[in-house]
């Protein structure tokens, strides 16, 4: 595409934006974002973006809705500043889990987010490890869906003793994604069978499909939010004879008391990526962060030049 690359960082994750810019060898575009006393947001781009290929980096983290509105305001301002193309770079997609109507009279909010981004003026979206890949179908603009699995697998291969390891899905729904990890790491799989006895109860682990006795168990998930599912799985694996338990997740949401619960759990190490910032209260020696900045930089470069994005994580 003609026109230069312009990288604009929202206020959600400035460290990741700076790292992406460093890998690309470009400076972040100078901007100003003001929050007034009445909670209104003002964005101003301090540089000319006319006919530029602009990438706006904004992940989903607290305060989620405030940062989403900030992103929409930034995109709208750039559209009216005559940017040639605007790509919303969303390392963690907002409202990603609200992707279906599984109870009466609720919003499919992930689809609503797609509509809002398009209405604001986004020409395409770049994101990573959607909770449900079919969310791409909510858009009428191109969506490039990056996959952090190769990065996480490489890190696990370099830092873990996988000789007697088994990969574990905390429920049947995670089994498909787990298969990709198993193929890359050449490890066996196990799946925890969960059952819900009635609508008032949370699902309870009742059986294990596979064998973890005397082995190191590695729980895999796309994200860790409250940590309840992963920690419950770890306890169940311990009861079934696992000698060592680790976990990996792409998106470290870590909401509420997740970190405190993790400290009291059998999980000895948690590997995550930096799609979401980890403020000081959420940091812990057992949490290890792998960067996805280089992959995002390579994807941005490929989008700009018209090269293939999917080959980056083949």
């Amino acid at each position: 595409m003609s026109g230069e690359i312009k990288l604009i960082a929202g206020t959600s994750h400035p460290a990741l934006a700076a790292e992406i810019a460093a890998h690309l060898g470009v400076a972040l575009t100078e901007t100003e974002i003001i929050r007034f006393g009445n909670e209104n947001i003002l964005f101003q781009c301090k540089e000319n973006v006319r006919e530029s290929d602009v990438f706006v980096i904004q992940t989903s983290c607290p305060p989620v809705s405030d940062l989403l509105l900030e992103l929409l305001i930034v995109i709208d301002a750039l559209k009216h500043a005559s940017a040639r193309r605007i790509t919303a770079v969303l390392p963690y997609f907002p409202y990603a889990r609200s992707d279906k109507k599984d109870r009466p009279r609720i919003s499919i909010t992930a689809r609503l987010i797609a509509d809002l981004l398009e209405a604001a003026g986004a020409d395409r979206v770049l994101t990573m490890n959607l909770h449900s890949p079919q969310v791409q179908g909510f858009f009428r603009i191109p969506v490039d869906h990056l996959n952090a699995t190769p990065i996480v697998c490489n890190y696990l291969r370099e830092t873990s003793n996988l000789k007697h390891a088994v990969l574990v899905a905390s429920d049947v729904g995670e089994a498909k994604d787990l298969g990709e990890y198993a193929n890359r790491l050449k490890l066996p799989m196990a799946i925890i069978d969960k059952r819900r006895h009635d609508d008032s109860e949370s699902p309870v682990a009742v059986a294990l499909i596979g064998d973890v006795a005397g082995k190191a168990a590695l729980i895999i998930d796309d994200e860790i939010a409250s940590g309840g599912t992963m920690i419950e799985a770890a306890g169940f694996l311990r009861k079934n004879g696992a000698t060592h338990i680790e976990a990996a997740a792409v998106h470290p949401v870590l909401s509420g008391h997740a970190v405190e619960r993790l400290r009291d759990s059998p999980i000895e190490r948690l590997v995550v990526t930096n799609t979401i910032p980890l403020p000081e209260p959420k940091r812990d020696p057992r949490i290890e962060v792998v960067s996805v900045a280089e992959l995002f930089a390579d994807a941005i470069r490929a989008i700009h030049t018209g090269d293939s994005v999917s080959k980056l994580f083949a």
Side-chain angles (χ1 to χ4, degrees), residues 127-299:
T127 189
M128 173 170 275
N129 286 82
L130 289 165
H131 180 64
S132 298
Q134 60 265 29
V135 167
Q136 295 174 80
F138 294 160
F139 287 88
R140 290 177 292 273
I141 58 176
V143 177
D144 291 297
H145 185 204
L146 299 183
N147 183 7
T149 300
I151 295 173
V152 175
C153 285
N154 289 340
Y155 185 81
L156 292 172
R157 195 179 290 112
E158 293 167 2
T159 61
S160 298
N161 182 1
L162 301 176
K163 187 175 181 181
H164 301 292
V166 56
L167 299 175
V168 180
S170 56
D171 57 42
V172 175
E174 295 297 330
K176 183 178 180 181
D177 291 338
L178 187 69
E180 185 177 356
Y181 282 85
N183 290 334
R184 288 182 178 273
L185 295 174
K186 296 180 171 39
L187 291 175
M189 295 169 49
I191 303 169
I192 295 175
D193 178 15
K194 284 185 169 182
R195 302 292 173 90
R196 188 192 303 270
H197 298 293
D198 60 52
D199 290 340
S200 65
E201 296 179 358
S202 298
V204 177
V206 296
L208 182 67
I209 304 168
D211 180 27
V212 298
K215 300 179 181 179
L218 179 55
I219 306 168
I220 302 293
D221 210 333
D222 64 322
E223 67 177 63
I224 174 170
S226 68
T229 297
M230 190 174 282
I231 291 168
E232 181 193 358
F236 190 70
L237 293 170
R238 182 71 82 199
K239 290 178 183 177
N240 280 268
T243 58
H244 180 77
I245 300 172
E246 297 185 0
V250 175
H251 305 299
V253 179
L254 296 171
S255 56
H257 298 287
V259 176
E260 289 84 348
R261 299 174 72 181
L262 179 66
R263 293 185 185 122
D264 297 331
S265 77
I267 297 173
E268 299 172 44
R269 181 173 75 147
L270 172 64
V271 175
V272 298
T273 77
N274 61 341
T275 57
I276 300 173
L278 282 184
E280 191 60 40
K282 291 186 179 182
R283 295 179 187 175
D284 186 89
R286 73 181 67 195
I287 301 176
E288 299 178 14
V289 182
V290 186
S291 179
V292 294
E294 186 173 4
L295 178 56
F296 271 99
D298 290 343

Side-chain angles (χ1 to χ4, degrees), residues 68 93-95 108-118 139:
L68 173 60
F93 192 83
Y95 290 90
I108 305 175
T109 315
R111 188 266 314 147
L112 176 61
I113 301 302
D115 291 345
L116 290 171
L117 289 168
E118 291 181 49
F139 287 88

